[in-house]
Amino acid sequence: MAADIIDGKAFAATMREKVADHVSRLKADHGITPGLAVVLVGEDPASQVYVRNKRKQTVECGMQSFEHRLSPETPEADLLALVKRLNADPAVHGILVQLPLPPHMNADAVINAIDPAKDVDGFHISNVGLLGTGQKSMVPCTPLGCLMMLRDRLGSLSGLDAVVIGRSNIVGKPMAQLLLGESCTVTIAHSRTRDLAEVVRRADIVVAAVGRPRMVPGSWIKPGATVIDVGINRIAVPETGKTRLVGDVDFDSCAQVAGAITPVPGGVGPMTIACLLANTVTACCRANGLPEPDGLIV
Ligand code: NDP
């Protein structure tokens, strides 16, 4: 295997230590405890796991966790009323509404009801606009985690060719904005892209955010490229009768060619939650007119 493995799990653990350190200083110096509210509507099993992990890590970092679980039949108006209450609650510095929402709800309307200053997911239209125009915003956690791993690995990204596969609002598009902000030459690929293999072969940086198990083979990767695999796909393993998680990248073949690669699990996933915690501390500092935490997001 040629590629270095980018250890997102270890990176995230270091980041959580820094978050915990900032939180204890906020408590000691200012008597403030950052608070994160997570709202889960329905019983999607994957969402339940994510919410449980977020709560555990929030509490472990010394922050307050407010969890709101609503039934799948909850009327949208009730969810909007809850968001309004959380917006007004001074103990809540970050609000996250776990997606996907049930089909009878308009996710855009719900996300845009969150106070942009508490929108720690960075999905509110104001934060999207701020990011797109290069202004200070709340940056979506998954792309932010990817960027931090890329900076750590490569230093300056200026002038590099980057291909982002996937154009979703939560990963692909903000990822492309961040890479553009780093002066990469960015290509966004999607399901209508012609000759994806050829597009990917040009890239010094490949970010795969598609949701198709092991779609990107090693034969598409430029030798020495850095490969960030955002995908989380659960597949059956017939030999054991169990399931396991794989990414959007075929790890074994890509690791033969790439210079560095993130594994699944243990790559982007842990960084996403660590960035959520960091965004909550940032939101708390901004809400209290305090300087932004130094060295948390690098
Ligand atoms: P979406 O389904 O919203 O978007 C998928 C994107 O992939 C779309 O833009 C789609 O194109 C594109 N696509 C689909 N098929 C192809 C194809 N054959 N060739 C090229 N592009 C294709 O997914 P998300 O962005 O929400 O998530 C992507 C993956 O990342 C999922 O596996 C998800 O579980 C994972 N994820 C992981 C997170 C983490 O913390 N690690 C956080 C968030 C997501 P088009 O627009 O044309 O349809």
Side-chain angles (χ1 to χ4, degrees), residues 163-196:
V163 170
V164 179
I165 317 176
R167 56 174 163 178
S168 72
N169 289 338
I170 64 168
V171 189
K173 282 182 199 154
M175 186 74 243
Q177 295 281 9
L178 288 174
L179 291 167
L180 197 56
E182 298 290 313
S183 300
C184 290
T185 302
V186 183
T187 303
I188 307 177
H190 46 77
S191 66
R192 308 293 172 89
T193 297
R194 288 192 211 148
D195 202 351
L196 183 60

Side-chain angles (χ1 to χ4, degrees), residues 50 54 123 141-143 146 164-173 188-193 196 208-213 215 220 229-234 246-248 264 267-273:
Y50 296 144
K54 284 166 189 168
F123 296 159
C141 306
T142 300
C146 296
V164 179
I165 317 176
R167 56 174 163 178
S168 72
N169 289 338
I170 64 168
V171 189
K173 282 182 199 154
I188 307 177
H190 46 77
S191 66
R192 308 293 172 89
T193 297
L196 183 60
V210 183
R212 292 170 69 98
M215 189 191 92
W220 292 10
D229 191 351
V230 180
I232 302 178
N233 309 288
R234 189 164 285 284
V246 296
D248 290 341
V264 176
V268 176
M271 284 300 287
T272 296
I273 303 188

